[in-house]
Amino acid sequence: MTELAVRGDHQRAVEALRRSYEAIPEGTPIRLAKRTSNLFRWRDPSDAPGLDVSGFDRVLSVDPEERTAQVQGMTTYEDLVDATLPHGLMPTVVPQLKTITLGGAVTGLGIESTSFRDGLPHEGVLELEVLTGDGRVVTATRDNEHADLFYGFPNSYGTLGYSLRLKIELRPVRPYVRLRHLRFGDAAELAKAMGEITEAGTFEGETVDFMDGTYFSPGEQYITLGFFADSAPYTSDYTGQGIYYKSIRERSVDFLTVRDYIWRWDTDWFWCSRAFGVQNPTVRRLWPDKYKRSDVYRKLVAYDRRYHVVAHVERWRGLRPREDVIQDIEVPVERLPEFLEFFHEEVGMSPVWLCPLKAKERWPLYPLEVGRAYVNVGFWGTVRLPPGRIPEHHNRLIERKVAALDGHKSLYSTAFYGRDEFWRYYDGETYRRLKGGYDPAGRLLGLYDKCVRGR
């Protein structure tokens, strides 16, 4: 199909979506009808109309000369990467899980091991086509009449509008990635090294292409550096029997194809597949490789969340209830040791993912300080509640600690902020102005109601 025909299909899909949006009675809450989700803000099924956005899941074009791509908002990163790699290109930041959509990563944030250099996924966006809350379809760029929406869209979680098409930057790749896993016995040493590499962009005279880290315990932590390579003496495979995060402790050097590097975390959902027994060698051999995917594991979690299978079994066994502690937070790199010490003592979950980042511009609804080095700390699991504690005990502790360390918390999961506190952290003044300009009738949920109250 020619590019002109593809764009024609896109325009017809836009017009059909706008008509269906206008047909929904005013005052009726509106949600997207999506086939995938990576959110962990669980809510009961809703009777609200679901906008069908299934026609917005394609890569419209890739321009190898300009190093850009035109992509529809519901396109998964798996499909996007499959379209760009044959051209020797990849998006500036590719979040870790295959079914994260480009539009979702831009409106709800995302991060990965290029973020120390390229920031978050929305910083690689050049143009944004949005169906706004008042039913318009507008194109926003950094310097046009909708620049306020362009900068206010990240971290708005679909409460200002839905992305239909995005023009994004691409970066050149090489066929392989050489990994170095550097061990540290002290969080202060790791934070210092992570900050220095973020500032310099190099390590031992080599340009660093990728950087993240893994915390196993106070005495065992790693920075993993990735370097593009044109050839490799061997390549490891972590899509079947091998388990990537375990290799970090077993190897100091490793080689992956660029595609396997990009999706190294997806096969085992970082390390969370162990909750389903998938890391047991016998179970792993029997579990088909095509089902070793983050979206499969998430569906299993959603099933348990709905029917409370594990909770019923543990209650029958007389065990204390568990609390879901599924969060990503950012703290300044120099405050990372304080957070890790607190987390080890108060929560005790491991491993923990570490990903440095630096914002290149100011994005008001997630106001990281421009040019300052932060570290994303990701932790996903459950912990036993101490006797007599409220169900959200650990999550509330984490929120208070992050605020005390001048950090921020992503909103894809549970949040417990009071309304005034929430708007202090997420620029309520700017949000109210944007809401008034692009959704004055409040047809879409507000950010606080959606992300904290869980409506």
Side-chain angles (χ1 to χ4, degrees):
M1 185 177 291
T2 66
E3 182 176 339
L4 186 61
V6 169
R7 287 183 177 275
D9 286 348
H10 174 73
Q11 285 307 122
R12 284 188 287 275
V14 169
E15 292 306 316
L17 184 66
R18 183 156 54 183
R19 287 193 298 271
S20 65
Y21 191 89
E22 292 170 350
I24 297 173
E26 291 187 16
T28 304
I30 299 172
R31 301 188 189 278
L32 294 184
K34 296 176 60 180
R35 62 184 175 87
T36 66
S37 176
N38 286 278
L39 296 181
F40 280 84
R41 285 182 272 104
W42 305 99
R43 59 173 181 253
D44 294 329
S46 171
D47 294 329
L51 278 177
D52 182 6
V53 290
S54 59
F56 293 89
D57 62 353
R58 299 167 67 183
V59 178
L60 300 174
S61 64
V62 176
D63 187 332
E65 299 299 321
E66 191 182 42
R67 292 181 181 172
T68 61
Q70 299 271 359
V71 188
Q72 292 179 310
M74 296 300 151
T75 304
T76 66
Y77 272 95
E78 181 176 25
D79 290 342
L80 176 53
V81 166
D82 282 348
T84 62
L85 282 186
H87 299 281
L89 299 167
M90 65 178 281
T92 56
V93 181
V94 180
Q96 316 87 340
L97 308 180
K98 292 178 176 179
T99 57
I100 293 175
T101 62
L102 177 59
V106 170
T107 193
L109 308 186
I111 192 169
E112 237 296 342
S113 56
T114 56
S115 291
F116 77 99
R117 180 188 63 242
D118 287 328
L120 302 179
H122 54 265
E123 303 205 66
V125 174
L126 301 172
E127 188 175 288
L128 188 62
E129 182 183 76
V130 180
L131 172 66
T132 62
D134 58 9
R136 290 177 291 159
V137 175
V138 304
T139 298
T141 68
R142 283 174 168 82
D143 56 5
N144 73 356
E145 68 272 27
H146 299 295
D148 58 344
L149 179 62
F150 182 90
Y151 282 101
F153 199 74
N155 209 45
S156 65
Y157 281 91
T159 66
L160 299 175
Y162 302 121
S163 59
L164 307 181
R165 178 186 55 82
L166 305 94
K167 182 178 181 181
I168 62 169
E169 294 181 81
L170 302 174
R171 293 279 187 266
V173 303
R174 289 154 73 184
Y176 303 99
V177 179
R178 173 171 56 90
L179 302 182
R180 291 189 60 182
H181 304 303
L182 311 177
R183 180 169 175 165
F184 294 83
D186 178 79
E189 293 176 2
L190 177 142
K192 182 174 182 292
M194 198 168 267
E196 290 174 349
I197 297 169
T198 298
E199 291 301 319
T202 62
F203 180 74
E204 295 183 348
E206 285 190 277
T207 297
V208 175
D209 296 299
F210 306 96
M211 174 167 57
D212 64 353
T214 312
Y215 171 99
F216 290 97
S217 71
E220 186 184 8
Q221 303 145 52
Y222 297 83
I223 293 176
T224 296
L225 303 179
F227 307 87
F228 278 128
D230 291 319
S231 61
Y234 64 88
T235 55
S236 295
D237 181 2
Y238 300 111
T239 64
Q241 297 308 301
I243 298 174
Y244 173 70
Y245 85 93
K246 292 187 176 182
S247 74
I248 294 171
R249 312 172 87 170
E250 299 164 353
R251 298 171 176 264
S252 59
V253 177
D254 205 355
F255 291 85
L256 295 174
T257 66
V258 65
R259 190 180 193 281
D260 282 353
Y261 175 79
I262 288 171
W263 301 128
R264 69 202 182 283
W265 292 119
D266 190 85
T267 301
D268 284 284
W269 210 14
F270 283 83
W271 30 79
C272 299
S273 67
R274 62 188 176 184
F276 311 103
V278 181
Q279 295 180 29
N280 177 291
T282 301
V283 174
R284 197 170 185 86
R285 282 193 296 272
L286 296 173
W287 195 293
D289 288 353
K290 66 180 180 179
Y291 295 129
K292 295 184 180 111
R293 292 174 54 99
S294 59
D295 54 334
V296 172
Y297 307 134
R298 192 193 181 283
K299 288 175 183 175
L300 294 174
V301 172
Y303 181 89
D304 182 69
R305 178 77 183 191
R306 183 174 182 181
Y307 295 105
H308 308 288
V309 177
V310 173
H312 288 320
V313 171
E314 294 202 335
R315 191 178 304 116
W316 177 77
R317 295 176 60 195
L319 300 174
R320 291 198 310 275
R322 286 183 171 272
E323 178 185 359
D324 291 338
V325 183
I326 302 171
Q327 306 285 351
D328 277 75
I329 64 94
E330 274 93 33
V331 293
V333 65
E334 69 272 12
R335 311 302 296 272
L336 177 64
E338 294 174 70
F339 182 82
L340 291 176
E341 181 180 13
F342 149 83
F343 191 83
H344 175 71
E345 293 177 353
E346 297 292 342
V347 183
M349 185 188 298
S350 68
V352 168
W353 188 54
L354 308 174
C355 188
L357 72 148
K358 184 188 290 187
K360 298 187 290 184
E361 300 177 81
R362 187 179 186 277
W363 306 88
L365 302 193
Y366 205 71
L368 300 176
E369 185 178 328
V370 176
R372 187 176 190 182
Y374 292 82
V375 178
N376 174 283
V377 185
F379 37 92
W380 317 286
T382 64
V383 291
R384 298 272 178 212
L385 280 167
R389 297 295 187 178
I390 60 175
E392 61 270 15
H393 167 70
H394 296 97
N395 283 286
R396 288 183 181 273
L397 283 179
I398 290 165
E399 286 185 353
R400 291 197 293 271
K401 189 64 175 180
V402 170
L405 296 177
D406 196 22
H408 282 81
K409 185 178 105 166
S410 298
L411 297 174
Y412 72 87
S413 188
T414 51
F416 301 94
Y417 298 113
R419 190 178 293 273
D420 291 343
E421 182 184 21
F422 178 87
W423 290 124
R424 284 200 306 273
Y425 298 145
Y426 301 103
D427 197 345
E429 181 179 348
T430 295
Y431 181 78
R432 284 186 285 273
R433 185 167 61 251
L434 289 166
K435 192 73 167 172
Y438 293 97
D439 186 24
R443 300 197 73 191
L444 304 174
L445 280 175
L447 188 62
Y448 182 79
D449 285 337
K450 188 170 188 176
C451 295
V452 180
R453 297 181 66 194
R455 291 174 58 184

